[in-house]
Amino acid sequence: MNAPTHPATRCASGPAAAHTSDVSPLPPAAWPTHATLRAVAHRLVDAICDAQDAVSYAPPLRTIPDRERATLQTRGIPDTGRDPLEAATELLRIVETGAARANHPRAFAFIPGPHSAVSWLGDLVTSGLNPHAGSWLQSSGAAAIELEVLRWLAARFGLPATTAGVFTSGGSLANLTALQVARDRRLAQRDRAQAVAYCSDQCHSSVAKALGVLGFAPEQLRRLPVDAAFRLDPAALARAVDADRAAGRHPWVVVANAGSTNTGSIDPLDAIADIASTRGLWLHADGAYGAAAALVPARRAAFAGLARVDSLTFDPHKWAFQTYGCACVLVRDGADLTRTFHTRPEYLRDTDTTDHAPNFWDRGIELTRPARALRFWLTLQTLGADGLARAIAHGIALGEAAAAALARTPYVECLSGPQLGIVCFRFVPPGVDDAAALDALQSRVARAVTDDGTAFVLTTVLRGQVCLRLCAISPQAGAGDVETTIARLARYAGVSPVSPVSMRST
Ligand SMILES: Cc1ncc(COP(=O)(O)O)c(C=O)c1O
């Protein structure tokens, strides 16, 4: 190595300058390039499409066999890499072997994920090009798309032009983001120990989790009882807020359901907005699931008051047919987002922004983030707003078909619905009167219909009673899918699915 002829370079950080002239790019054998992977990628895409085409021919739920799980978990990572096609084929098989087909037409458990093939194509662009969607500087194209999708959603939900938002990994993170903004806007630091948040007992668990992350104790969330339709009672809310205020506590936020997970119930948003505005509370609506129905013009009326919320969670990866990891939060005064999340460390100082060219890392918790809006944009471009609304409305019709099938089935108690594609019900066959036995029966028939591969059905609890819950939103399902499932459930429950004569009324 020749001695440098210029004055000695001094680096204030990092290792001493290395001699680098013998460092060249790794060869394809050591670092795969896209050229070498093209053929593998084509094979993989074909295999994924084949698997998706066949989705309805296999049971909706498959769990990895114990022996294979044990092998996988002890096999370790090879020191020397192996053929990518062979490894990718194995990967596909393993994931398929142990996965619920959330897009199976008879996947009725949880909130199913009937993702559209177009969403997956958008995903390919997201992960293939891998733009860093944290800053405008790094991904102005993807950011322009994210802004446009958020603007379109805000307008559809009736929110004003001041609204801004950000895509998140899911509804849990969207709720957390909104609640952090709400806390910063509505609570002085000194009031936080006495702060109280409100929601109904049907509110999603992610809200309590988010409040925990933000440092609140479980007692600082009041979970208020619901009315007969599983909706938050505005009068009970007003009473609770006034009582807490009189006791010296600090009410600051109410979280309303715009489609609850259990039953699809929509809280009376207008009345809750009145209470929130007269009492200085932030109103957050959790529409992670249900707000999709507000995109269907004929269903908008059920969401009266949605346009008055301070913030809203909406998950396209639920009922807008996106692959997982696609949710968003909208905040009425968009500047509130940046007031909470803007940071400017010295290493980000060259990433200037304007209102039209924001850094999304200033709107949420993440710095590095994938471009989650691309797949939804592609879906919207492909289906159009009307096509999306039609696909969502199909779920509502499926819920109605399920309710009609239940009405034809004897010894059924309907506990809720149809509401936003969800029905909850119990079998109450003659001779089974004991509460514990009835609860056990519902669990047993859900498991039986899932184990025999007919459908994926789980139970929930409403008013202390275990019940079956169907959430039917797949555009690829028809009335026959819910009817077959209900008939099979009825058979396992020991009731005949035909004669309505002895149906016990609710
Ligand atoms: C109403 C509601 N809110 C929030 C969530 C949490 O969303 P995620 O699972 O995307 O974090 C769910 C999930 O089902 C939900 O139904």
Side-chain angles (χ1 to χ4, degrees):
M1 174 181 168
N2 295 331
T5 54
H6 54 75
T9 303
R10 283 188 299 147
C11 283
S13 75
H19 179 58
T20 57
S21 60
D22 57 353
V23 178
S24 45
L26 291 179
W31 187 251
T33 62
H34 290 99
T36 58
L37 290 190
R38 191 179 296 265
V40 177
H42 286 162
R43 300 270 293 271
L44 210 53
V45 167
D46 282 344
I48 291 171
C49 289
D50 289 347
Q52 296 298 342
D53 283 348
V55 101
S56 55
Y57 301 115
L61 180 65
R62 290 170 72 183
T63 308
I64 193 164
D66 262 359
R67 195 131 54 86
E68 175 146 23
R69 177 194 55 74
T71 311
L72 267 174
Q73 291 180 328
T74 49
R75 183 164 104 184
I77 306 297
D79 289 334
T80 308
R82 58 182 177 131
D83 176 63
L85 179 58
E86 179 202 298
T89 307
E90 185 188 2
L91 179 65
L92 199 64
R93 189 190 58 72
I94 294 167
V95 174
E96 273 225 284
T97 308
R101 269 79 168 156
N103 59 340
H104 191 291
R106 290 189 302 283
F108 299 122
F110 306 110
I111 306 289
H115 72 266
S116 95
V118 177
S119 171
W120 174 57
L121 277 186
D123 252 3
L124 275 183
V125 178
T126 303
S127 57
L129 297 183
N130 199 27
H132 183 303
S135 73
W136 185 266
L137 182 67
Q138 293 170 98
S139 61
S140 49
I145 283 177
E146 184 162 351
L147 285 175
E148 174 56 5
V149 173
L150 290 165
R151 186 202 61 77
W152 180 79
L153 282 173
R156 286 276 159 152
F157 293 135
L159 293 167
T162 53
T163 302
V166 60
F167 271 76
T168 63
S169 59
S172 303
L173 262 289
N175 283 338
L176 172 61
T177 307
L179 288 169
Q180 188 167 345
V181 174
R183 181 201 64 184
D184 290 357
R185 299 277 68 78
R186 288 293 193 273
L187 272 181
Q189 187 71 39
R190 64 178 179 282
D191 294 334
R192 290 187 186 175
Q194 289 300 316
V196 191
Y198 304 83
C199 66
S200 84
D201 63 14
Q202 294 300 305
C203 192
H204 192 264
S205 57
S206 58
V207 168
K209 241 192 208 180
L211 291 171
V213 172
L214 294 173
F216 296 100
E219 315 78 75
Q220 291 182 273
L221 174 63
R222 300 245 182 284
R223 294 170 60 92
L224 302 169
V226 287
D227 67 12
F230 298 94
R231 294 172 311 186
L232 178 61
D233 171 6
L237 171 66
R239 276 195 306 275
V241 172
D242 293 345
D244 280 324
R245 186 101 61 204
R249 290 185 276 267
H250 289 275
W252 62 285
V253 65
V254 52
V255 179
N257 280 317
S260 65
T261 315
N262 261 342
T263 68
S265 59
I266 303 167
D267 288 336
L269 299 169
D270 228 2
I272 294 171
D274 288 343
I275 292 165
S277 70
T278 53
R279 289 164 173 80
L281 269 58
W282 182 281
L283 171 54
H284 174 67
D286 182 354
Y289 169 61
L295 301 174
V296 180
R299 302 286 166 173
R300 240 346 269 274
F303 293 86
L306 188 65
R308 298 175 64 192
V309 303
D310 293 298
S311 55
L312 171 68
T313 287
F314 171 55
D315 291 8
H317 72 192
K318 291 191 165 61
W319 201 359
F321 316 113
Q322 300 307 292
T323 54
Y324 291 133
C326 187
C328 67
V329 60
L330 295 164
V331 176
R332 174 181 213 85
D333 179 351
D336 284 343
L337 270 175
T338 33
R339 284 187 196 109
T340 287
F341 292 111
H342 175 80
T343 54
R344 190 70 169 188
E346 63 285 358
Y347 40 81
L348 302 181
R349 63 188 290 274
D350 295 328
T351 56
D352 287 335
T353 58
T354 65
D355 280 353
H356 300 294
N359 291 333
F360 275 100
W361 62 39
D362 285 334
R363 293 185 176 196
I365 294 157
E366 296 172 299
L367 185 83
T368 303
R369 56 195 289 277
R372 299 190 174 96
L374 305 189
R375 62 193 93 160
F376 192 33
W377 182 87
L378 192 62
T379 305
L380 289 170
Q381 295 295 318
T382 307
L383 282 182
D386 293 347
L388 179 69
R390 238 190 332 271
I392 296 167
H394 181 77
I396 295 171
L398 284 174
E400 284 159 3
L406 287 169
R408 295 192 296 271
T409 309
Y411 305 111
V412 166
E413 265 182 12
C414 284
L415 273 63
S416 82
Q419 169 107 289
L420 305 186
I422 301 176
V423 288
C424 295
F425 56 98
R426 286 159 56 87
F427 291 106
V428 285
V432 189
D433 295 323
D434 175 65
L438 278 173
D439 283 356
L441 173 70
Q442 318 309 318
S443 301
R444 203 164 53 243
V445 299
R447 210 163 32 245
V449 93
T450 302
D451 287 349
D452 82 5
T454 304
F456 184 16
V457 177
L458 291 176
T459 58
T460 188
V461 175
L462 291 178
R463 298 201 183 90
Q465 297 180 313
V466 175
C467 59
L468 294 144
R469 173 181 171 281
L470 301 186
C471 180
I473 55 172
S474 169
Q476 284 162 306
D481 288 298
V482 288
E483 288 161 2
T484 304
T485 302
I486 288 168
R488 187 64 69 101
L489 286 165
R491 181 124 60 88
Y492 282 122
V495 302
S496 155
V498 278
S499 161
V501 186
S502 45
M503 188 170 147
R504 192 166 131 178
S505 99
T506 54

